[in-house]
């Protein structure tokens, strides 16, 4: 069943677990993710980025998600826009049947972020669609210890008081926060470190309000090894340790975004299948195992998030 995030987040918040939000671009990814959720009896957020829309074209992704919803009526599924770059794309997705959109104006200043978010909230809420926004800037591998205030890395952790003001003034339904995570397969130079003290303050000040963790892949080393063993070149890839994800999911984080781990699992599996069977040229022979690996990955993720036996 296609749903929005309201009831899902309320239950997750109260149950101290988080919903997995998985990025999708193609049929095998979507099928693998949903098969994993069905096995674990978990609700799902399937999210579509601007890049995914450009790659697959919006209508194909929409129809694939409709197919999956029809095929799995027992699973609550959210169709979510990931990192909506401007008000227009958010409105287009609201009009196009998404049940949740993200407006990412985190690179604008505070007032402009509020203005854009409020405009999306007004439009989306009038159409029964929920909105996620982002406050603070995610940093990448360039992050330096002590640089969270917006130094040379350009990153800036979320200010707890600003978060309260932002939520009050925009009426947004959930908020992505910056506490040290970043997108991609290279998240930390040295030891992984997230600012849990800051997260706890935000959670206290915004009691009951759902938070979102972007850049939350754990960069599973088994998949990195698989990629590297079969011709890949990903030396030193490093993600957020699993125990940190579990800890965050008990501190008001209701949505955990995962893309990189899906990419690694799929790529590792395809590389292996092609290397081991050089005579095969049937895409089903390498995409089928990749889909199965995505299913196994999602089942593992849902365990880490505590999101099992919910439906
Ligand atoms: O946050 C970014 C997601 O991993 C989506 O990536 O823009 O390459 O589709 P993408
Ligand atoms: P990862 O790159 O850690 O998978 O993060 C994905 C994400 O935040 C999508 O919005
Ligand atoms: Zn993200």
């Amino acid at each position: 069943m296609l749903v929005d995030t309201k009831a899902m987040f309320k239950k997750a918040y109260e149950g101290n677990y988080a919903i997995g939000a998985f990025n999708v671009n193609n049929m095998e990814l979507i099928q693998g993710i949903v098969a994993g959720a069905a096995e674990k009896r978990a609700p799902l957020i399937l999210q579509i980025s601007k890049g995914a829309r450009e790659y697959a074209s919006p209508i194909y992704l929409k129809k694939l998600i409709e197919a999956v919803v029809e095929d799995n009526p027992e699973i609550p599924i959210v169709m979510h826009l990931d990192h909506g770059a401007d008000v227009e794309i958010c409105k287009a997705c609201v009009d196009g049947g998404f049940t949740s959109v993200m407006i990412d104006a985190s690179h604008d200043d505070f007032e402009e972020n509020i203005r854009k978010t409020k405009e999306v909230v007004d439009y989306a809420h009038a159409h029964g669609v929920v909105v996620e926004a982002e406050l603070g800037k995610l940093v990448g591998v360039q992050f330096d210890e002590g640089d969270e205030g917006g130094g040379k890395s350009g990153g800036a952790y979320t200010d707890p008081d600003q978060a309260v003001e932002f939520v009050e003034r925009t009426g947004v339904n959930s908020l992505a926060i910056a506490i040290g995570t970043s997108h991609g397969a290279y998240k930390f130079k040295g030891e992984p470190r997230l600012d849990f003290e800051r997260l706890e303050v935000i959670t206290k000040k915004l009691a009951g309000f759902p938070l979102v963790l972007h850049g939350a892949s754990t960069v599973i080393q088994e998949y990195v090894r698989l990629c590297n063993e079969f011709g890949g070149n990903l030396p030193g890839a490093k993600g957020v340790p699993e125990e940190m994800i579990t800890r965050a999911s008990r501190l008001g984080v209701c949505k955990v975004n995962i893309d990189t781990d899906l990419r690694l699992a799929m790529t590792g599996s395809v590389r292996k299948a092609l290397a081991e069977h050089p005579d095969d040229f049937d895409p089903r022979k390498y995409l089928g195992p990749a889909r199965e690996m995505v299913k196994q990955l999602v089942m593992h993720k849902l365990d880490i998030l505590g999101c099992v036996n919910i439906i």
Side-chain angles (χ1 to χ4, degrees):
M1 158 192 27
L2 199 59
V3 298
D4 66 33
T5 53
K6 275 190 204 142
M8 205 181 263
F9 282 169
K10 187 170 187 297
K11 224 171 142 185
Y13 201 101
E14 288 165 4
N16 284 315
Y17 63 88
I19 313 291
F22 299 96
N23 283 76
V24 295
N25 301 284
N26 62 42
M27 184 188 77
E28 282 78 8
L29 268 172
I30 292 177
Q31 289 179 332
I33 293 164
V34 173
E39 189 109 353
K40 288 289 179 181
R41 307 202 55 74
L44 260 190
I45 298 172
L46 295 177
Q47 52 187 14
I48 295 171
S49 69
K50 177 169 177 272
R53 282 163 64 86
E54 284 163 5
Y55 173 76
S57 123
I59 184 73
Y60 284 83
L61 292 171
K62 185 179 179 204
K63 295 289 175 191
L64 278 170
I65 292 179
E66 278 172 10
V68 138
V69 168
E70 196 177 321
D71 207 25
N72 299 269
E74 75 289 1
I75 307 181
I77 297 177
V78 175
M79 182 159 60
H80 174 74
L81 169 68
D82 191 28
H83 292 286
D86 51 49
V87 174
E88 285 62 43
I89 191 174
C90 293
K91 287 184 176 173
C93 287
V94 168
D95 295 343
F98 282 59
T99 54
S100 172
V101 294
M102 174 188 189
I103 170 72
D104 181 0
S106 60
H107 291 278
D108 290 318
D109 66 35
F110 186 61
E111 286 301 325
E112 185 64 359
N113 192 352
I114 287 183
R115 191 193 65 72
K116 286 184 184 169
T117 300
K118 179 89 173 65
E119 190 177 343
V120 172
V121 166
D122 288 345
Y123 190 81
H125 285 186
H127 293 78
V129 171
V130 293
V131 180
E132 171 186 328
E134 180 165 323
L135 185 64
K137 294 187 184 74
L138 266 63
V139 290
V141 73
Q142 73 276 25
F143 173 72
D144 289 319
E145 189 85 23
D147 193 22
E148 63 269 25
K152 55 182 177 299
S153 74
Y157 285 3
T158 306
D159 177 85
D161 291 320
Q162 278 197 338
V164 175
E165 185 183 341
F166 187 91
V167 169
E168 278 173 5
R169 287 176 59 190
T170 58
V172 76
N173 300 90
S174 60
L175 186 68
I177 41 134
I179 57 166
T181 60
S182 60
H183 295 114
Y186 293 89
K187 298 194 192 295
F188 303 98
K189 264 196 217 160
E191 279 307 297
R193 191 182 74 88
L194 297 187
D195 193 343
F196 279 103
E197 295 73 29
R198 186 178 298 263
L199 176 59
E200 281 176 29
V201 175
I202 296 171
T203 304
K204 266 206 193 91
K205 286 183 184 270
L206 281 172
F209 185 82
L211 303 174
V212 178
L213 200 60
H214 281 247
S217 277
T218 50
V219 186
I220 296 177
Q221 293 302 304
E222 180 192 335
Y223 300 134
V224 174
R225 271 195 295 276
L226 203 56
C227 287
N228 287 339
E229 191 183 332
F230 293 101
N233 184 25
L234 299 166
K238 198 190 287 181
V240 182
E242 288 183 344
E243 58 276 15
M244 290 192 187
I245 298 297
T246 303
R247 188 173 166 196
S249 71
R250 294 178 183 145
L251 285 170
V253 169
C254 294
K255 173 174 180 273
V256 167
N257 282 15
I258 299 157
D259 188 2
T260 295
D261 281 330
L262 292 166
R263 296 178 184 201
L264 290 170
M266 202 155 199
T267 303
S269 176
V270 169
R271 280 192 178 282
K272 180 171 187 285
L274 290 175
E276 288 180 345
H277 304 283
D279 50 331
D280 264 343
F281 57 92
D282 178 346
R284 293 170 296 187
K285 294 277 172 52
Y286 51 86
L287 294 178
R291 177 174 59 189
E292 177 59 28
M293 196 163 283
V294 165
K295 177 185 173 188
Q296 298 304 323
L297 165 68
V298 167
M299 288 168 61
H300 177 68
K301 288 283 167 190
L302 294 169
D303 283 336
I304 301 301
L305 297 174
C307 190
V308 294
N309 297 322
I310 308 294
I311 55 174

